[in-house]
């Protein structure tokens, strides 16, 4: 009597994953990723789960997150310096479910995700490729421009959030199925409200239910927005999502809206038929946008008017990619008051000379020095005065944002802008005191995860960034 040999289990090479977010309810098929391979390696602590099509399982969330991160890593890798890759080494840890909190964050050592309550039960931030690729964006920007981590400026923190949102959008568009779907949904007009513009729909809906000021009713943020620049220190520290606040997530919508508008116009410009752009043409402009953002971020200095500074760098960088792009970016930045019309005209009249000056400044360390500002202990409920470091770069470049009257707006001094940022951190409960508070003082704030902490160094009590959430 013979016994038939056991068949080997089939090798799984493709996955079923969420196309962009669980709220969309749309699945797609993608190659099974290996997150341990270069470029941009990840480490998920614990055993690798088997592939599962149970959308409520930890295994499904694992493979959805792993595919999104690997797709995002492949997209961003060409602009990340080697061999270090990540800011602190070759491997970045990923924790898919730290504890209960409606959060997701990047802390230089890891990408961290959490779970929290929603109207439909428990929601996991790692379940959304949008959220995953947003946090990946923070890690990418930190890898290519690490000095932004220590900048105590509202506009720098806001640009970090913009970069995260653009990472979510650009990484999503690497999926052929989503490119096709978005072109159909928007009739080729990419800048309108769509699944692409609505970032983190499921998670944002859950956040909005508990904290209406922290997210839109149907997503975390909508990139199809038309907010205009104003001095962030003149804004309240929180506001409903229909208005701007100085909170980096809220204020970032000014810059994200301009870039999303520019991405749409880049596609229209590049398409053989502007009324019917193709998925391949859309893919090509995502690669251009990636290179433009990365190149500009490395060159822009940490000045108090950072939005105007980095917008100028983006416009100049775009001209290196395509001479016709510069008009698109300048138009978008002027329409959102990120650049004054006077500044835009100056840039467009002599882009080559300004690009050369930017590169000279970026390469010359004489234009940057470290300064320390002392802030009084009583203001923040501390036992001693607080020392805050500032990076002083050259000021007075051509870049200016526009005021409400459309005229060029002189940015606040570096000290004034830094002080406003620090004040807001304490006011909104973003600082972990680490027992350095005055006796009897209890810090304010509901958030468990703090973006900053107090540390003691030889130079005294100082403020240090812990994470971007």
């Amino acid at each position: 009597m013979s016994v038939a040999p056991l068949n080997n289990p089939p090798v799984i090479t493709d996955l079923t994953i969420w196309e962009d977010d669980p709220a969309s309810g749309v699945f797609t098929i993608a190659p099974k990723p290996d997150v341990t391979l270069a470029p941009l390696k990840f480490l998920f602590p614990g055993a690798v789960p088997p592939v599962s099509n149970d959308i409520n399982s930890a295994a499904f969330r694992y493979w959805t997150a792993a595919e999104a991160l690997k797709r995002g890593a492949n997209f961003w890798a060409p602009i990340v310096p080697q061999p270090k890759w990540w800011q602190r080494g070759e491997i970045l840890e990923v924790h898919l479910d730290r504890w209960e909190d409606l959060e997701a964050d990047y802390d230089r050592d890891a990408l961290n995700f959490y779970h929290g309550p929603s109207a439909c039960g428990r929601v996991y931030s790692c379940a959304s490729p949008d959220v995953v690729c947003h946090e990946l964006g923070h890690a990418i920007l930190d890898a290519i421009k690490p000095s932004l981590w220590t900048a105590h400026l509202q506009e720098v923190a806001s640009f970090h959030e913009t970069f995260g949102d653009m990472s979510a959008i650009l990484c999503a568009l690497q999926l052929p199925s989503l490119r096709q779907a978005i072109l159909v949904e928007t009739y080729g007009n990419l800048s309108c409200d769509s699944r692409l513009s609505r970032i983190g729909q499921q998670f944002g809906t859950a956040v909005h239910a508990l904290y209406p000021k922290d997210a839109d009713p149907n997503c975390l943020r909508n990139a199809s927005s038309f907010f205009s620049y104003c001095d962030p220190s003149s804004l309240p520290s929180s506001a409903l999502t229909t208005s701007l606040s100085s909170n980096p997530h809220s204020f970032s919508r000014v810059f994200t809206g301009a870039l999303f508008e520019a991405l749409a116009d880049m596609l229209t410009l590049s398409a053989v038929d502007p009324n019917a752009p193709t998925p391949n043409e859309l893919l090509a402009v995502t690669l251009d946008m990636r290179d433009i953002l990365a190149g500009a971020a490395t060159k822009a200095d940490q000045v108090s008017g950072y939005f105007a500074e980095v917008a100028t760098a983006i416009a100049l960088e775009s001209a290196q990619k395509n001479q016709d792009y510069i008009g698109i970016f300048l138009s978008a930045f002027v329409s959102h008051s990120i650049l004054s019309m006077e500044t835009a005209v100056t840039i467009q009249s002599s882009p080559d000379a300004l690009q050369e000056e930017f590169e000279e400044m970026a390469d010359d360390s004489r234009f940057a020095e470290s300064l320390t500002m002392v802030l009084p202990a009583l203001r923040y409920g501390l036992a001693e005065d607080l020392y805050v470091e500032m990076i002083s770069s050259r000021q007075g470049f051509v870049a200016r944002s526009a005021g409400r009257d459309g005229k060029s707006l002189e940015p606040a001094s570096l000290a004034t802008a830094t002080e406003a940022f620090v004040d807001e951190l304490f006011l909104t409960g973003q600082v972990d005191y680490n027992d350095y508070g005055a006796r009897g003082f209890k810090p304010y704030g509901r958030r468990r995860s703090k973006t900053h902490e107090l540390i003691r160094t030889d130079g005294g009590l100082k403020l240090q960034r812990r994470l971007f959430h």
Side-chain angles (χ1 to χ4, degrees):
M1 179 178 178
S2 61
V3 178
L6 295 175
N7 293 325
N8 292 325
V11 176
I12 298 176
T13 58
D14 292 315
L15 301 168
T16 299
I17 58 167
W18 294 120
E19 193 171 57
D20 59 334
D21 187 88
S24 71
V26 180
F27 298 100
T28 192
I29 303 298
K32 183 180 179 182
D34 186 343
V35 296
T36 66
L37 297 180
L40 296 172
K41 303 175 186 178
F42 300 95
L43 172 64
F44 289 67
V48 176
V51 173
S52 172
N53 289 331
D54 178 0
I55 62 174
N56 296 312
S57 67
F60 187 87
R61 292 191 294 273
Y62 173 97
W63 287 110
T64 293
E67 189 283 329
L69 286 174
K70 193 60 183 174
R71 169 166 34 100
N74 290 338
F75 171 72
W76 286 114
I79 57 89
V80 177
Q82 304 178 44
K84 189 176 180 181
W85 295 112
W86 303 113
Q87 208 284 325
R88 286 184 174 168
E90 292 186 14
I91 300 175
L92 183 64
E93 288 193 4
V94 182
H95 300 274
L96 295 179
D97 190 12
R98 280 292 205 184
W99 55 70
E100 183 170 344
D101 206 350
L102 283 173
E103 286 286 0
D105 64 60
Y106 162 70
D107 64 9
R108 280 194 158 174
D109 290 319
L111 302 175
N112 302 294
F113 303 93
Y114 307 81
H115 70 266
S118 76
C120 300
R122 183 175 288 184
V123 63
Y124 294 82
S125 57
C126 72
S128 171
D130 279 354
V131 176
V132 169
C133 290
H134 171 94
E135 297 307 326
L136 174 65
H138 285 303
I140 294 296
L141 184 53
D142 195 27
I144 65 175
K145 187 71 171 182
S147 61
L148 297 183
W149 183 268
T150 57
H152 299 304
L153 294 169
Q154 287 165 313
E155 293 185 23
V156 170
S158 296
F159 181 74
H160 235 287
E161 298 303 333
T162 285
F163 199 95
D165 280 354
M166 291 306 297
S167 176
I169 291 166
L170 297 175
C171 290
L173 289 173
Q174 302 315 298
L175 286 172
S177 60
L178 186 66
R179 290 199 301 276
Q180 180 63 48
I182 292 301
L183 289 174
V184 171
E185 180 183 353
T186 63
Y187 298 96
N189 179 20
L190 208 66
S191 64
C192 68
D193 177 32
S194 69
R195 275 204 291 142
L196 182 65
S197 70
R198 295 189 295 272
I199 299 166
Q201 294 180 80
Q202 183 194 64
F203 192 64
T205 300
V207 171
H208 178 83
L210 291 180
Y211 311 111
K213 294 182 178 181
D214 290 354
D216 285 344
N218 60 352
C219 61
L220 278 171
R221 283 171 299 282
N222 196 323
S224 180
S225 64
F226 302 94
F227 292 105
S228 293
Y229 178 88
C230 60
D231 183 351
S233 66
S234 69
L235 295 171
S237 59
S238 66
L240 294 175
T241 56
T242 51
S243 302
L244 276 181
S245 77
S246 55
N247 178 287
H249 294 94
S250 174
F251 197 68
S252 69
R253 294 178 297 171
V254 175
F255 216 105
T256 305
L259 290 179
F260 194 63
E261 182 180 311
L263 182 67
D265 289 342
M266 289 166 67
L267 177 60
T268 301
L269 173 73
S270 304
V272 173
D273 181 355
N275 295 316
T278 68
N280 284 341
E281 289 169 336
L282 178 52
L283 176 63
V285 298
T286 67
L287 303 180
D288 285 351
M289 179 65 86
R290 174 198 65 191
D291 296 346
I292 291 166
L293 289 180
T298 60
K299 293 173 184 174
D301 282 333
Q302 298 173 37
V303 296
S304 60
Y306 183 75
F307 266 22
E309 173 81 4
V310 74
T312 299
I314 287 171
L316 294 174
E317 197 72 19
S318 74
Q320 304 299 308
K321 183 69 67 172
N322 183 330
Q323 286 289 340
D324 293 327
Y325 280 168
I326 189 170
I328 286 173
F329 281 96
L330 290 176
S331 177
F333 291 141
V334 168
S335 69
H336 290 263
S337 298
I338 295 169
L339 291 178
S340 67
M341 187 172 294
E342 179 184 3
T343 296
V345 170
T346 303
I347 293 170
Q348 196 155 27
S349 65
S350 54
D352 293 338
L354 292 177
Q355 176 76 2
E356 184 178 344
E357 182 177 346
F358 245 107
E359 292 177 354
E360 287 178 358
M361 294 290 187
D363 293 338
D364 197 331
S365 61
R366 293 176 304 166
F367 291 97
E369 60 178 324
S370 180
L371 305 174
T372 301
M373 178 170 58
V374 183
L375 296 173
L378 183 60
R379 181 186 300 181
Y380 309 117
L382 301 174
E384 57 188 286
D385 289 343
L386 179 65
Y387 294 81
V388 179
E389 293 183 351
M390 304 179 294
I391 301 297
S392 176
S393 302
R394 53 115 176 102
Q395 191 86 6
F397 190 68
V398 65
R400 294 290 185 274
S401 296
R404 296 184 185 278
D405 58 2
K407 298 177 182 177
S408 292
L409 183 68
E410 288 301 312
S413 69
L414 182 62
T416 298
T418 299
E419 190 171 0
F421 178 76
V422 173
D423 285 349
E424 180 171 310
L425 289 178
F426 281 94
L427 178 65
T428 56
Q430 297 285 7
V431 180
D432 188 337
Y433 278 63
N434 285 331
D435 298 324
Y436 292 119
R439 180 175 298 180
F441 175 76
K442 294 183 179 180
Y444 308 111
R446 61 173 171 80
R447 289 191 181 275
R448 182 173 177 178
S449 298
K450 309 289 187 180
T451 61
H452 290 72
E453 64 180 337
L454 297 175
I455 60 169
R456 179 173 297 287
T457 68
D458 293 340
L461 192 61
K462 294 192 175 180
L463 188 67
Q464 174 177 277
R465 180 173 284 281
R466 177 185 286 173
L467 54 85
F468 276 98
H469 65 60

